[in-house]
Amino acid sequence: MKKEKFEMSSYDNVIVTDVDGVLLNWGYAFDVWMNEQGYKKVTDEWKHYCVFEQYGIPEAEGKKMVNLFNQSAVVGFLPPLRDAIHYVRKLHEEHGYVFHTVTSLHSDKNAQKLRIMNLEKLFGETVFERHTILGCGDDKDEALAPYKGTEFYWVEDKVENAIVGKKVAGLNSIVMEHGFNMNDPELQEEGIPLAKNWKEIYEIVTGN
């Protein structure tokens, strides 16, 4: 999407969140699509963050396939991750939280529109106050910098981005557990909690 002047939320209760692997089950949809292209994962579980390692293909080929997938029509129909719908709506409807997404997808405007459509269809139109959609594989340092000093929660599945959110913006990072991050030693070193699902995130946020 076009870069716009960042305006801080008028809400006190904001949760900043990644999308793929946090709100939406990108891995499942991508694997179905890859199977249709004739690719198979090296192991059934997602043990690697990088696609080329997961499918045993050259790195350049892996990046190419992710790029193609992220600008395809499939992006508009990704399923929710685990219990995301129930607890995101609960945080919004019962506790007044609104959500800002910071997601690396693609520079294609139609793909970005499909992403927003997908999220609003699953979670509702009032849940999300702001979407920051970056290019495929883009770093999130710049996108998270405006949140410095807010101490908002920041939910990610990529440990590197969770650390960036904590160190660059002082956000309260939480990592959504996957096979590729559950044993990452940096989480303990940085004191970043690992959540199996949105129920656990809900409990962290609300203290319940």
Side-chain angles (χ1 to χ4, degrees), residues 67-125:
N67 191 60
L68 288 172
F69 177 80
N70 280 358
Q71 61 180 313
S72 72
V74 183
V75 170
F77 303 93
L78 302 189
L81 183 77
R82 303 168 193 164
D83 57 353
I85 289 179
H86 177 73
Y87 284 99
V88 165
R89 286 182 176 175
K90 191 174 178 69
L91 284 164
H92 175 61
E93 295 167 5
E94 297 181 15
H95 298 274
Y97 280 91
V98 294
F99 289 74
H100 290 192
T101 67
V102 177
T103 172
S104 298
L105 179 71
H106 202 280
S107 58
D108 182 80
K109 293 180 181 178
N110 290 323
Q112 294 179 358
K113 289 177 182 178
L114 285 172
R115 163 123 301 174
I116 295 171
M117 179 197 78
N118 190 186
L119 289 169
E120 292 184 348
K121 177 181 65 177
L122 292 175
F123 296 92
E125 295 183 2

Coordinates of all heavy atoms in Angstrom, one line a residue, residues 67-125:
N67 N 6.6 -15.5 -3.7 CA 6.2 -14.3 -4.4 C 5.0 -14.5 -5.2 O 4.1 -13.7 -5.3 CB 7.4 -13.7 -5.2 CG 7.2 -12.3 -5.7 OD1 7.0 -11.4 -5.0 ND2 7.2 -12.2 -7.1
L68 N 5.0 -15.6 -5.9 CA 3.9 -16.0 -6.8 C 2.6 -16.2 -6.0 O 1.5 -15.7 -6.3 CB 4.2 -17.2 -7.6 CG 5.2 -17.0 -8.8 CD1 5.5 -18.4 -9.4 CD2 4.6 -16.1 -9.9
F69 N 2.8 -16.9 -4.9 CA 1.6 -17.2 -4.0 C 1.0 -16.0 -3.4 O -0.2 -15.8 -3.4 CB 2.0 -18.2 -2.9 CG 0.9 -18.5 -2.0 CD1 0.0 -19.5 -2.3 CD2 0.9 -17.9 -0.7 CE1 -1.1 -19.8 -1.4 CE2 -0.1 -18.2 0.2 CZ -1.1 -19.1 -0.2
N70 N 1.9 -15.1 -3.0 CA 1.4 -13.9 -2.2 C 0.8 -12.9 -3.1 O 0.2 -11.9 -2.6 CB 2.6 -13.3 -1.5 CG 2.9 -14.0 -0.2 OD1 2.2 -14.9 0.2 ND2 3.9 -13.5 0.5
Q71 N 0.8 -13.0 -4.4 CA 0.1 -12.1 -5.3 C -1.0 -12.9 -6.0 O -1.7 -12.3 -6.9 CB 1.0 -11.5 -6.3 CG 1.7 -12.4 -7.3 CD 2.6 -11.7 -8.2 OE1 2.2 -10.7 -8.9 NE2 3.9 -12.1 -8.4
S72 N -1.3 -14.1 -5.6 CA -2.4 -14.9 -6.3 C -3.7 -14.6 -5.6 O -3.8 -14.1 -4.5 CB -2.0 -16.4 -6.2 OG -2.2 -16.9 -4.8
A73 N -4.8 -15.1 -6.2 CA -6.1 -14.9 -5.7 C -6.3 -15.7 -4.4 O -7.2 -15.3 -3.6 CB -7.2 -15.3 -6.7
V74 N -5.5 -16.7 -4.1 CA -5.6 -17.5 -2.9 C -5.5 -16.6 -1.7 O -6.1 -16.9 -0.6 CB -4.6 -18.6 -2.9 CG1 -4.7 -19.5 -1.7 CG2 -4.6 -19.5 -4.2
V75 N -4.7 -15.6 -1.8 CA -4.5 -14.7 -0.6 C -5.8 -14.2 0.0 O -5.8 -13.8 1.2 CB -3.5 -13.5 -1.0 CG1 -3.4 -12.5 0.0 CG2 -2.1 -14.1 -1.3
G76 N -6.8 -14.1 -0.8 CA -8.1 -13.6 -0.3 C -8.9 -14.6 0.4 O -10.0 -14.3 0.9
F77 N -8.4 -15.8 0.5 CA -9.2 -16.9 1.1 C -8.4 -17.8 2.1 O -8.7 -19.0 2.2 CB -9.8 -17.8 0.0 CG -10.6 -17.0 -1.0 CD1 -10.0 -16.5 -2.1 CD2 -11.9 -16.7 -0.8 CE1 -10.7 -15.7 -3.1 CE2 -12.6 -16.0 -1.7 CZ -12.0 -15.5 -2.8
L78 N -7.4 -17.2 2.8 CA -6.7 -18.0 3.8 C -7.5 -18.2 5.0 O -8.3 -17.4 5.5 CB -5.4 -17.2 4.2 CG -4.4 -16.8 3.1 CD1 -3.1 -16.3 3.7 CD2 -4.1 -18.0 2.1
P79 N -7.4 -19.4 5.6 CA -8.2 -19.8 6.8 C -7.6 -19.1 8.0 O -6.4 -18.8 8.0 CB -8.1 -21.3 6.8 CG -6.8 -21.6 6.2 CD -6.6 -20.6 5.1
P80 N -8.4 -19.0 9.1 CA -7.8 -18.5 10.3 C -6.8 -19.5 11.0 O -6.9 -20.7 10.7 CB -9.1 -18.3 11.2 CG -10.0 -19.3 10.7 CD -9.8 -19.4 9.2
L81 N -5.9 -18.9 11.8 CA -5.0 -19.8 12.5 C -5.6 -20.2 13.9 O -6.0 -19.3 14.7 CB -3.7 -19.1 12.8 CG -2.6 -19.9 13.5 CD1 -2.0 -20.9 12.5 CD2 -1.5 -19.1 14.1
R82 N -5.8 -21.5 14.1 CA -6.2 -22.0 15.3 C -7.5 -21.3 15.9 O -8.5 -21.3 15.2 CB -5.1 -22.0 16.3 CG -3.8 -22.8 15.8 CD -2.6 -22.5 16.6 NE -1.4 -23.0 15.9 CZ -0.2 -22.7 16.2 NH1 0.1 -21.9 17.2 NH2 0.8 -23.2 15.5
D83 N -7.4 -20.8 17.1 CA -8.5 -20.1 17.7 C -8.5 -18.6 17.6 O -9.1 -17.9 18.4 CB -8.6 -20.5 19.2 CG -7.3 -20.1 19.9 OD1 -6.3 -19.7 19.2 OD2 -7.2 -20.3 21.1
A84 N -7.9 -18.1 16.5 CA -7.7 -16.7 16.3 C -9.0 -15.9 16.3 O -9.2 -14.9 17.0 CB -6.9 -16.4 15.1
I85 N -10.0 -16.4 15.6 CA -11.3 -15.6 15.5 C -11.9 -15.4 16.8 O -12.3 -14.3 17.2 CB -12.2 -16.4 14.5 CG1 -11.7 -16.2 13.1 CG2 -13.6 -15.7 14.6 CD1 -12.6 -16.9 12.0
H86 N -12.1 -16.5 17.6 CA -12.8 -16.4 18.9 C -12.1 -15.4 19.8 O -12.8 -14.5 20.4 CB -12.8 -17.8 19.5 CG -13.5 -17.8 20.9 ND1 -14.8 -17.6 21.1 CD2 -12.9 -17.9 22.1 CE1 -15.1 -17.6 22.3 NE2 -14.0 -17.8 23.0
Y87 N -10.8 -15.5 20.0 CA -10.2 -14.7 21.0 C -9.8 -13.3 20.5 O -9.8 -12.3 21.3 CB -8.9 -15.4 21.5 CG -9.3 -16.5 22.5 CD1 -9.3 -17.8 22.1 CD2 -9.7 -16.2 23.8 CE1 -9.7 -18.8 22.9 CE2 -10.1 -17.2 24.7 CZ -10.1 -18.5 24.2 OH -10.5 -19.5 25.1
V88 N -9.6 -13.1 19.2 CA -9.4 -11.7 18.7 C -10.7 -11.0 18.8 O -10.8 -9.8 19.3 CB -9.0 -11.8 17.2 CG1 -9.2 -10.4 16.6 CG2 -7.5 -12.2 17.1
R89 N -11.8 -11.6 18.5 CA -13.1 -10.9 18.7 C -13.5 -10.7 20.1 O -14.0 -9.7 20.5 CB -14.2 -11.8 18.0 CG -14.3 -11.8 16.5 CD -15.4 -12.6 16.0 NE -15.5 -12.5 14.5 CZ -16.3 -13.3 13.8 NH1 -17.1 -14.1 14.4 NH2 -16.4 -13.1 12.5
K90 N -13.1 -11.6 21.0 CA -13.3 -11.5 22.4 C -12.5 -10.3 23.0 O -13.1 -9.5 23.7 CB -12.9 -12.7 23.1 CG -13.3 -12.9 24.6 CD -13.0 -14.2 25.1 CE -13.3 -14.4 26.6 NZ -14.8 -14.4 26.8
L91 N -11.3 -10.1 22.5 CA -10.5 -9.0 22.9 C -11.1 -7.7 22.5 O -11.1 -6.7 23.2 CB -9.0 -9.1 22.4 CG -8.2 -10.1 23.2 CD1 -6.9 -10.5 22.3 CD2 -7.7 -9.6 24.5
H92 N -11.6 -7.7 21.3 CA -12.2 -6.5 20.7 C -13.6 -6.2 21.3 O -13.8 -5.0 21.7 CB -12.4 -6.7 19.2 CG -13.1 -5.6 18.4 ND1 -12.6 -4.3 18.4 CD2 -14.2 -5.6 17.7 CE1 -13.4 -3.6 17.7 NE2 -14.4 -4.3 17.3
E93 N -14.4 -7.1 21.3 CA -15.8 -6.9 21.8 C -16.0 -6.8 23.3 O -16.8 -6.0 23.7 CB -16.7 -8.0 21.2 CG -16.8 -8.0 19.7 CD -17.4 -9.3 19.2 OE1 -17.9 -10.2 20.0 OE2 -17.5 -9.5 17.9
E94 N -15.2 -7.5 24.0 CA -15.4 -7.5 25.5 C -14.4 -6.6 26.2 O -14.6 -6.2 27.3 CB -15.3 -8.9 26.0 CG -16.4 -9.9 25.5 CD -16.3 -11.3 26.1 OE1 -15.6 -11.5 27.1 OE2 -17.0 -12.2 25.5
H95 N -13.2 -6.4 25.6 CA -12.2 -5.6 26.2 C -11.8 -4.3 25.5 O -10.9 -3.6 26.0 CB -10.9 -6.5 26.4 CG -11.2 -7.7 27.3 ND1 -11.1 -7.6 28.7 CD2 -11.6 -8.9 27.0 CE1 -11.4 -8.8 29.2 NE2 -11.7 -9.6 28.2
G96 N -12.4 -4.1 24.4 CA -12.2 -2.8 23.7 C -10.9 -2.7 22.9 O -10.5 -1.6 22.5
Y97 N -10.2 -3.8 22.6 CA -9.0 -3.7 21.9 C -9.3 -3.5 20.4 O -10.2 -4.1 19.8 CB -8.1 -4.9 22.1 CG -7.4 -4.9 23.4 CD1 -7.9 -5.5 24.5 CD2 -6.1 -4.4 23.4 CE1 -7.2 -5.5 25.7 CE2 -5.4 -4.3 24.6 CZ -5.9 -4.9 25.8 OH -5.2 -4.8 26.9
V98 N -8.4 -2.8 19.7 CA -8.4 -2.7 18.2 C -7.1 -3.2 17.8 O -6.1 -3.2 18.5 CB -8.7 -1.3 17.7 CG1 -10.1 -0.9 18.0 CG2 -7.7 -0.3 18.2
F99 N -7.0 -3.6 16.5 CA -5.8 -4.3 16.0 C -5.2 -3.5 14.9 O -6.0 -3.0 14.0 CB -6.1 -5.7 15.6 CG -6.4 -6.6 16.7 CD1 -7.6 -6.6 17.4 CD2 -5.5 -7.6 17.1 CE1 -7.8 -7.4 18.5 CE2 -5.7 -8.4 18.2 CZ -6.9 -8.4 18.9
H100 N -3.9 -3.4 14.9 CA -3.1 -2.8 13.8 C -2.3 -4.0 13.2 O -1.6 -4.7 13.9 CB -2.2 -1.7 14.2 CG -2.9 -0.5 14.7 ND1 -2.1 0.7 14.9 CD2 -4.1 -0.2 14.9 CE1 -3.0 1.6 15.3 NE2 -4.2 1.1 15.3
T101 N -2.4 -4.2 11.9 CA -1.6 -5.3 11.3 C -0.3 -4.7 10.7 O -0.4 -3.6 10.1 CB -2.3 -6.1 10.2 OG1 -2.6 -5.2 9.1 CG2 -3.6 -6.6 10.7
V102 N 0.8 -5.4 10.8 CA 2.0 -5.1 10.1 C 2.5 -6.4 9.5 O 2.9 -7.3 10.2 CB 3.1 -4.5 11.1 CG1 4.4 -4.3 10.4 CG2 2.6 -3.3 11.8
T103 N 2.3 -6.5 8.2 CA 2.4 -7.7 7.5 C 3.2 -7.6 6.2 O 3.0 -6.6 5.5 CB 1.0 -8.3 7.2 OG1 1.2 -9.5 6.3 CG2 0.1 -7.3 6.5
S104 N 4.1 -8.5 6.0 CA 4.9 -8.6 4.8 C 4.2 -9.5 3.8 O 4.0 -10.7 4.0 CB 6.3 -9.1 5.0 OG 7.0 -8.3 5.9
L105 N 3.7 -9.0 2.7 CA 2.9 -9.7 1.7 C 3.4 -9.5 0.3 O 4.1 -10.4 -0.2 CB 1.4 -9.3 1.8 CG 0.5 -10.0 0.8 CD1 0.3 -11.5 1.2 CD2 -0.9 -9.3 0.7
H106 N 3.1 -8.4 -0.3 CA 3.5 -8.1 -1.7 C 3.1 -6.7 -2.0 O 2.3 -6.1 -1.3 CB 2.7 -9.0 -2.6 CG 3.3 -9.2 -4.0 ND1 3.2 -8.3 -5.0 CD2 4.1 -10.2 -4.5 CE1 3.9 -8.7 -6.0 NE2 4.5 -9.9 -5.7
S107 N 3.8 -6.1 -2.9 CA 3.6 -4.7 -3.3 C 2.4 -4.6 -4.2 O 1.9 -3.4 -4.5 CB 4.8 -4.1 -4.0 OG 5.2 -4.9 -5.2
D108 N 1.9 -5.7 -4.7 CA 0.7 -5.7 -5.6 C -0.5 -5.1 -4.9 O -0.9 -5.7 -3.9 CB 0.5 -7.1 -6.2 CG -0.7 -7.1 -7.2 OD1 -0.5 -6.7 -8.4 OD2 -1.8 -7.5 -6.8
K109 N -1.2 -4.1 -5.4 CA -2.3 -3.5 -4.8 C -3.5 -4.4 -4.6 O -4.2 -4.4 -3.6 CB -2.7 -2.2 -5.5 CG -1.7 -1.1 -5.4 CD -2.1 0.2 -6.2 CE -1.0 1.3 -6.1 NZ -1.5 2.5 -6.9
N110 N -3.7 -5.2 -5.7 CA -4.8 -6.1 -5.6 C -4.6 -7.2 -4.5 O -5.6 -7.6 -3.9 CB -5.1 -6.8 -7.0 CG -5.6 -5.8 -8.0 OD1 -6.4 -4.9 -7.7 ND2 -5.2 -5.9 -9.2
A111 N -3.4 -7.7 -4.4 CA -3.1 -8.6 -3.4 C -3.3 -8.0 -2.0 O -3.9 -8.7 -1.1 CB -1.7 -9.1 -3.5
Q112 N -3.0 -6.8 -1.8 CA -3.2 -6.1 -0.6 C -4.7 -5.9 -0.3 O -5.1 -6.1 0.9 CB -2.5 -4.7 -0.6 CG -0.9 -4.9 -0.7 CD -0.2 -3.5 -0.7 OE1 -0.9 -2.5 -0.7 NE2 1.1 -3.6 -0.8
K113 N -5.4 -5.6 -1.3 CA -6.9 -5.5 -1.1 C -7.5 -6.8 -0.7 O -8.4 -6.9 0.2 CB -7.6 -5.0 -2.4 CG -7.3 -3.5 -2.7 CD -7.9 -3.1 -4.0 CE -7.6 -1.6 -4.3 NZ -8.1 -1.2 -5.6
L114 N -7.0 -7.9 -1.3 CA -7.5 -9.2 -1.0 C -7.1 -9.6 0.5 O -7.9 -10.2 1.2 CB -6.9 -10.3 -1.9 CG -7.4 -10.3 -3.3 CD1 -6.6 -11.3 -4.2 CD2 -8.9 -10.8 -3.3
R115 N -6.0 -9.2 0.9 CA -5.6 -9.4 2.3 C -6.6 -8.8 3.3 O -7.0 -9.4 4.3 CB -4.2 -8.9 2.6 CG -3.8 -8.7 4.1 CD -2.6 -9.5 4.5 NE -2.7 -10.9 4.2 CZ -1.7 -11.8 4.4 NH1 -0.5 -11.3 4.8 NH2 -1.9 -13.1 4.2
I116 N -6.9 -7.5 3.1 CA -7.8 -6.8 3.9 C -9.2 -7.4 3.9 O -9.8 -7.6 4.9 CB -7.8 -5.3 3.6 CG1 -6.4 -4.7 3.8 CG2 -8.9 -4.6 4.3 CD1 -6.3 -3.2 3.3
M117 N -9.6 -7.8 2.7 CA -10.9 -8.4 2.5 C -11.0 -9.7 3.3 O -12.0 -10.0 4.0 CB -11.2 -8.7 1.0 CG -12.5 -9.4 0.7 SD -12.5 -10.1 -0.9 CE -11.6 -11.6 -0.6
N118 N -9.9 -10.5 3.2 CA -9.9 -11.8 3.9 C -10.0 -11.6 5.4 O -10.7 -12.2 6.1 CB -8.5 -12.4 3.6 CG -8.4 -13.9 4.0 OD1 -7.4 -14.5 3.9 ND2 -9.5 -14.5 4.5
L119 N -9.2 -10.6 6.0 CA -9.2 -10.3 7.4 C -10.6 -9.8 7.9 O -11.1 -10.3 8.9 CB -8.1 -9.3 7.7 CG -6.7 -9.8 7.6 CD1 -5.7 -8.7 7.7 CD2 -6.4 -10.9 8.7
E120 N -11.2 -8.9 7.1 CA -12.4 -8.3 7.6 C -13.6 -9.3 7.5 O -14.5 -9.3 8.3 CB -12.7 -7.1 6.8 CG -11.8 -5.9 7.1 CD -12.1 -4.6 6.4 OE1 -13.0 -4.7 5.4 OE2 -11.6 -3.6 6.7
K121 N -13.5 -10.2 6.5 CA -14.5 -11.3 6.3 C -14.5 -12.2 7.5 O -15.5 -12.6 8.0 CB -14.2 -12.0 5.0 CG -15.2 -13.2 4.8 CD -14.9 -13.9 3.5 CE -13.5 -14.6 3.6 NZ -13.1 -15.4 2.4
L122 N -13.3 -12.6 8.0 CA -13.2 -13.5 9.1 C -13.4 -12.9 10.4 O -14.0 -13.5 11.3 CB -11.8 -14.2 9.0 CG -11.5 -15.1 7.8 CD1 -10.0 -15.6 7.9 CD2 -12.4 -16.3 7.8
F123 N -12.8 -11.8 10.7 CA -12.8 -11.2 12.0 C -13.8 -10.0 12.2 O -14.0 -9.7 13.4 CB -11.3 -10.7 12.3 CG -10.3 -11.8 12.4 CD1 -9.6 -12.1 11.2 CD2 -10.1 -12.4 13.5 CE1 -8.6 -13.1 11.3 CE2 -9.1 -13.5 13.6 CZ -8.4 -13.8 12.5
G124 N -14.3 -9.5 11.2 CA -15.2 -8.4 11.3 C -14.5 -7.0 10.9 O -13.3 -6.9 11.0
E125 N -15.3 -6.1 10.4 CA -14.8 -4.8 9.9 C -14.4 -3.9 11.0 O -13.6 -3.0 10.7 CB -15.9 -4.2 9.0 CG -16.2 -5.0 7.8 CD -17.2 -4.3 6.9 OE1 -17.6 -3.2 7.2 OE2 -17.6 -4.9 5.8

